[in-house]
Amino acid sequence: MSASALAQFGARHIAKGIGRLSTEVIESGSGSYVTMVGGRTMLDFTTGIGVANLGHCHPAVTKAVQSQAAKLVHGQINIAFQKPSLDLVKSLIPLMPHATLDTFFFWNSGAEAVEAAVKLARHATKKQNIIVMQGSYHGRTFGTMAMTRSKTIYGQGFAPLMPGVFSVPFPYCAQCSIAKHSNVKHGFDECCMDPLLQLELLLKRETAPSDTAAIFIEPVLGEGGYVPPPPQYLARLREICDKNNILLVADEVQCGFGRTGKMFAVEHWDVRPDIMIMAKGIANGFPLSAIVSRKELMDTQKPGTMGGTYAGNAVSCAAGVAVAKAFQDERILENVNARGAELKGTLDAAKADSRTGNIIYDVRGLGLMLALECVPGHGYASKIQAKCMEKNMLVLTTSIYDTLRFIPPLNITKEDMAKGCRIIKEAIEEVAAGERPVETGTKGQAPE
């Protein structure tokens, strides 16, 4: 069946509710590249939305999975312990950002892990309400739809959603009205910290601390635009949680596992979460997620209250062990910071260039979790994205603002990064010069 015939088949038989970037059909992947049915090879700066962090089909992960699949595929966690999950716990404990994070629960997806964290927070504190950040993304299940505040599309038409969820602003300094009108007095380096004031007002007006179980935050805002918080914000958020006996939950689904240049993003600010959520890069493409907390908190739950048919799948856990080992053996974090500096340098140079800077509003990010926000009102980000695709490179847009996000493999080579930077530079220059790309107007939705 040809590529176009396969795409038409998919359009007829795959749920229409799935949005996608392209009608291409991926056949294989290796390292920083994916190959489509028909033979087109593309440099992948999406990594399955931050999942294949070690590149596609990493040899060590593949070998571990093949070996485990010949031993035990499904060791159901409510039946007995299974060795791969215990091996994974041993591998993860030394990587945790704080020694108190020592007790784990494994599940399948990021949204499931978020819901596991909600269950733990509510049960352990005997309080119902939770607070999330405006611009956050936590998932598309019924519970996490209520928590996701990055775009209305994720919850539109599905009400009533889970009650007891309140939101406050995330410190998005590039879009802060106070910063914009402060004559450069306030900004990322000198944040007005109004979001913390809004949080304190929320705790007085809408959800009392005695009713509030936890505050959930992505340490670097993901779907909301790849926005790092300003210095001191997370430390002061931790203080507010401690003062009011509220748990701090770090959703590291997208920013964890080396994406920002630290193993977990909270390490940039030396802040201890009470609960941390992991997924995506944990197993390099195999379905696996986890929450981790201190033992006395996790032990408040009675046996039987947590579980799941496929939770902590043995093959996925074996992949997770191989991922953790690769981080050490291959010095992944060193590469993230080196290649991240190169990519950010390309983006900063485009913003500083008089030929292209007029279409760029902001450049930001940490490690290899970087964003280019364009001047609004012209669809520049989608045009740059389309130009990159014309040059055989996959990139994603994100946020309600006109933003591109760059999520290359953490072990991308210097040569492949140089190639990617060249494509991005050319795409920005062409769009700034007024060239029109072949628009991906269907966003991957084949004609009916």
Side-chain angles (χ1 to χ4, degrees), residues 61 64 68 77 82-96 101-107 257 263-264 278-284 286-292 311-327:
V61 177
Q68 184 58 47
I77 61 170
Q82 42 110 326
K83 190 172 184 297
S85 68
L86 299 177
D87 289 341
L88 182 55
V89 170
K90 289 180 184 177
S91 297
L92 291 178
I93 285 177
L95 304 179
M96 291 298 102
L101 300 174
D102 61 0
T103 306
F104 295 77
F105 172 71
F106 295 112
W107 224 342
F257 282 90
M263 199 64 194
F264 295 97
M278 300 166 278
K280 287 189 181 286
I282 190 173
N284 212 56
F286 287 84
L288 187 66
S289 62
I291 63 169
V292 62
N313 173 265
V315 176
S316 294
C317 286
V321 173
V323 166
K325 188 172 188 298
F327 265 89

Side-chain angles (χ1 to χ4, degrees), residues 25-261:
V25 180
I26 300 173
E27 186 167 45
S28 64
S30 178
S32 299
Y33 293 87
V34 290
T35 301
M36 309 299 181
V37 171
R40 184 185 187 187
T41 297
M42 303 187 77
L43 182 59
D44 185 7
F45 269 42
T46 73
T47 55
I49 315 185
V51 173
N53 275 1
L54 299 182
H56 295 281
C57 299
H58 186 279
V61 177
T62 300
K63 182 178 180 180
V65 165
Q66 291 171 333
S67 176
Q68 184 58 47
K71 296 178 184 176
L72 177 70
V73 172
H74 179 60
Q76 214 284 326
I77 61 170
N78 297 109
I79 304 300
F81 291 115
Q82 42 110 326
K83 190 172 184 297
S85 68
L86 299 177
D87 289 341
L88 182 55
V89 170
K90 289 180 184 177
S91 297
L92 291 178
I93 285 177
L95 304 179
M96 291 298 102
H98 198 273
T100 58
L101 300 174
D102 61 0
T103 306
F104 295 77
F105 172 71
F106 295 112
W107 224 342
N108 308 292
S109 68
E112 286 176 305
V114 172
E115 293 207 359
V118 173
K119 286 179 67 174
L120 176 60
R122 284 181 165 179
H123 185 268
T125 64
K126 309 304 180 191
K127 298 187 284 187
Q128 175 180 327
N129 294 345
I130 56 176
I131 297 172
V132 298
M133 301 291 148
Q134 292 166 14
S136 64
Y137 179 88
H138 297 290
R140 278 176 267 209
T141 59
F142 251 90
T144 56
M145 274 195 296
M147 300 169 65
T148 291
R149 302 298 170 96
S150 56
K151 295 174 185 174
T152 55
I153 185 64
Y154 298 125
Q156 184 179 352
F158 297 105
L161 303 178
M162 180 178 73
V165 181
F166 298 81
S167 68
V168 292
F170 184 91
Y172 189 169
C173 297
Q175 291 294 343
C176 173
S177 60
I178 295 176
K180 287 180 179 180
H181 294 91
S182 69
N183 195 25
V184 199
K185 178 182 178 183
H186 294 299
F188 183 82
D189 293 321
E190 294 292 337
C191 180
C192 63
M193 291 294 171
D194 183 67
L196 291 176
L197 172 61
Q198 297 304 317
L199 172 59
E200 291 176 326
L201 291 174
L202 182 77
L203 292 171
K204 293 176 181 178
R205 290 169 171 166
E206 300 182 49
T207 174
S210 59
D211 291 328
T212 306
I215 296 174
F216 281 67
I217 185 170
E218 296 171 285
V220 177
L221 206 60
E223 178 79 8
Y226 277 32
V227 186
Q232 303 305 315
Y233 171 79
L234 280 175
R236 290 182 61 181
L237 182 64
R238 174 77 264 179
E239 291 173 2
I240 291 173
C241 287
D242 290 340
K243 175 184 174 182
N244 293 285
N245 194 29
I246 296 170
L247 299 178
L248 179 60
V249 182
D251 182 341
E252 293 257 5
V253 169
Q254 188 159 179
C255 59
F257 282 90
R259 178 52 58 187
T260 67

